[in-house]
């Protein structure tokens, strides 16, 4: 029976335990460049015992940012600030990971604080946005430009170029963001994708953009480097014809032979005002179903704050890893506290400076 504190090997990367930090937008970059804030923010979680520390959604193009304050990897000058972070994470036995993303029709918004409206006007540094179809996310949002086939291929090339920069920056694990209503997710869901060409309509067509992107990124990744994909496993809108768990399972079955090593199982955020039964562990069944039915490792996420619950998720085979987001913001040392609560302190290796705490 596996434990939260057992190592997990994915390709040549061995994680010291099953705790991971989910990618969380910090809206604190300058022209896409990481700052001292990011070094301290991510580094403190490595010292706190997390085996995997994932940098936030990092845009592969300038217009793929959620906000002007987002992280990016669309140019070479963004490599060195991230390399400083990966070196620190590795010094403290955390595998550095990064999530590559394009915000699609949810781009060009203001950061969550200090602005009365989500869309950032062009006069205030906003930009024109793109998507699979000219369908805005919500009232008051821009209508996205419908991507042409050459533009789709340009974005795929941007993912590949960003992946190479991520390798140059020292990241051990890459994740493609196909969740939360951003571009790759928008192509998956019939609620955002009304195309009639080879990238819309049927299931095979709607998953094409993601599959091709995975194939192209995997080609440049060494065999030793794991590749993750984050999915919104459901749109929570089955009655409206949205993306479903069954489709996520079918997609995971297609991703595994393409070289994807783990599915990061989240949900929702494609459309506003849907009923989501949020509660501790509410998304764990998605990780369990995909792990069991697609035979691929998964990470469970979503309001996981209780060490005993996290331990049960791993011990019961519901997921291979537990990723925390808000809990890691509240408590960068959550793995340390979990080890104490589960009488497993001897299994959590901390820096010498912290052993007596």
């Amino acid at each position: 029976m596996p434990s939260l504190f057992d190592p997990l090997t994915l390709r040549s990367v061995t994680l010291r335990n099953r705790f991971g930090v989910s990618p969380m937008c910090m809206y604190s970059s300058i022209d896409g460049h990481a700052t001292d804030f990011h070094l301290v923010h991510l580094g403190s979680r490595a010292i706190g015992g997390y085996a995997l520390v994932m940098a936030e959604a990092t845009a592969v193009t300038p217009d793929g940012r959620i906000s002007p304050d987002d992280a990016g990897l669309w140019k070479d000058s963004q490599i060195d600030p991230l390399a400083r972070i990966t070196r620190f994470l590795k010094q403290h036995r955390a595998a550095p990971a990064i999530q590559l993303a394009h915000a699609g029709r949810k781009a060009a918004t203001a950061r969550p604080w200090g602005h009365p409206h989500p869309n950032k006007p062009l006069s205030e540094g906003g930009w024109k946005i793109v998507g699979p179809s000219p369908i805005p996310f919500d009232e008051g949002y821009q209508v996205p430009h419908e991507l042409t086939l050459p533009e789709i291929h340009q974005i795929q090339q941007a993912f590949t170029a960003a992946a190479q920069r991520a390798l140059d920056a020292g990241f051990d694990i890459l994740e493609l963001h196909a969740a939360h209503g951003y571009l790759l997710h928008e192509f998956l869901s019939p609620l955002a994708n009304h195309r009639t060409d080879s990238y819309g309509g049927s299931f095979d067509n709607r998953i094409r953009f993601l599959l091709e992107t995975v194939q192209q990124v995997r080609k440049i990744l060494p065999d030793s480097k794991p590749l993750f994909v984050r999915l919104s496993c459901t749109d929570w809108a089955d009655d409206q014809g949205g993306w479903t768990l069954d489709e996520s399972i079918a997609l995971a079955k297609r991703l595994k032979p393409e070289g994807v090593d783990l599915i990061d199982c989240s949900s929702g955020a494609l459309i506003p005002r849907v009923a989501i039964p949020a509660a501790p562990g509410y998304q764990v069944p998605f990780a369990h179903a995909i792990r069991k039915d697609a035979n691929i490792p998964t990470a469970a996420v979503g309001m996981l704050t209780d060490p005993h619950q996290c331990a049960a998720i791993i011990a019961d085979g519901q997921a291979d890893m537990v990723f925390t987001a808000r809990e890691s913001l509240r408590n960068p040392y959550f793995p340390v506290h979990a080890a104490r609560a589960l009488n497993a302190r001897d299994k959590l290796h901390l820096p010498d400076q912290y052993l007596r705490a």
Side-chain angles (χ1 to χ4, degrees):
M1 185 167 65
S3 158
L4 262 177
F5 301 97
D6 286 344
L8 175 67
T9 298
L10 298 166
R11 296 187 183 258
S12 70
V13 176
T14 297
L15 304 170
R16 56 177 165 159
N17 58 52
R18 306 302 180 92
F19 288 103
V21 176
S22 282
M24 293 174 282
C25 292
M26 292 289 105
Y27 307 100
S28 300
S29 297
I30 299 173
D31 188 31
H33 295 76
T35 67
D36 289 348
F37 171 88
H38 298 92
L39 174 65
V40 175
H41 163 63
L42 296 170
S44 63
R45 275 102 197 135
I47 289 175
Y50 282 94
L52 180 151
V53 177
M54 192 176 298
E56 65 195 83
T58 301
V60 300
T61 63
D63 67 349
R65 290 173 293 172
I66 302 167
S67 82
D69 308 292
D70 278 25
L73 260 178
W74 66 81
K75 56 185 176 181
D76 290 349
S77 62
Q78 293 159 339
I79 295 172
D80 282 350
L82 290 171
R84 182 173 67 141
I85 294 170
T86 62
R87 287 193 296 269
F88 186 88
L89 298 181
K90 290 177 181 179
Q91 287 170 8
H92 294 282
R93 302 185 61 193
I98 190 168
Q99 184 187 70
L100 301 180
H102 190 296
R105 69 177 187 171
K106 294 177 76 175
T109 64
R111 59 187 178 185
W113 58 89
H115 200 283
H117 190 276
N119 258 158
K120 196 160 184 69
L122 297 178
S123 61
E124 297 180 17
W127 54 86
K128 296 292 186 181
I129 63 174
V130 301
S133 301
I135 304 169
F137 172 68
D138 197 6
E139 294 180 7
Y141 280 72
Q142 285 188 53
V143 176
H145 161 70
E146 181 173 314
L147 288 166
T148 65
L149 295 182
E151 289 168 341
I152 287 173
H153 299 150
Q154 287 171 7
I155 291 175
Q156 290 173 328
Q157 291 167 7
F159 269 99
T160 303
Q164 182 60 60
R165 292 188 183 100
L167 293 176
D168 294 342
F171 286 98
D172 288 338
I173 296 171
L174 273 60
E175 176 172 280
L176 299 182
H177 196 358
H180 300 166
Y182 300 123
L183 186 64
L184 293 174
H185 181 192
E186 291 164 19
F187 271 85
L188 297 178
S189 177
L191 299 180
N193 183 350
H194 290 186
R195 301 177 73 96
T196 57
D197 61 9
S198 59
Y199 289 92
S202 69
F203 174 79
D204 283 347
N205 284 356
R206 286 183 282 112
I207 69 172
R208 190 183 307 278
F209 190 1
L210 175 57
L211 278 182
E212 290 178 347
T213 305
V214 165
Q215 291 164 354
Q216 293 178 31
V217 169
R218 186 73 259 180
K219 282 180 183 178
I220 69 152
L221 289 184
D223 287 341
S224 59
K225 302 284 188 181
L227 178 62
F228 296 178
V229 171
R230 171 165 271 201
L231 294 179
S232 276
C233 298
T234 175
D235 289 339
W236 298 104
D238 293 17
D239 59 336
Q240 300 178 52
W243 181 259
T244 66
L245 175 58
D246 286 343
E247 288 178 303
S248 290
I249 293 169
L251 173 58
K253 290 178 179 178
R254 300 280 289 274
L255 291 171
K256 183 179 179 181
E258 299 295 346
V260 171
D261 300 287
L262 180 142
I263 304 297
D264 181 358
C265 299
S266 189
S267 69
L270 181 90
I271 57 174
R273 294 179 293 280
V274 294
I276 298 177
Y282 75 106
Q283 297 181 126
V284 173
F286 305 142
H288 189 197
I290 289 175
R291 185 179 191 269
K292 177 172 63 74
D293 295 342
N295 192 29
I296 189 170
T298 60
V301 307
M303 302 177 70
L304 303 178
T305 63
D306 184 316
H308 295 88
Q309 181 189 31
C310 293
I313 289 168
I314 302 302
D316 295 344
Q318 298 177 80
D320 298 273
M321 294 196 70
V322 170
F323 286 178
T324 66
R326 289 181 176 87
E327 184 61 19
S328 77
L329 292 181
R330 290 185 290 262
N331 182 1
Y333 304 95
F334 179 61
V336 177
H337 294 147
R340 289 173 176 166
L342 298 168
N343 296 317
R345 189 172 177 179
D346 60 323
K347 295 185 178 181
L348 192 67
H349 304 286
L350 295 172
D352 291 342
Q353 299 93 325
Y354 286 74
L355 287 177
R356 296 171 184 81

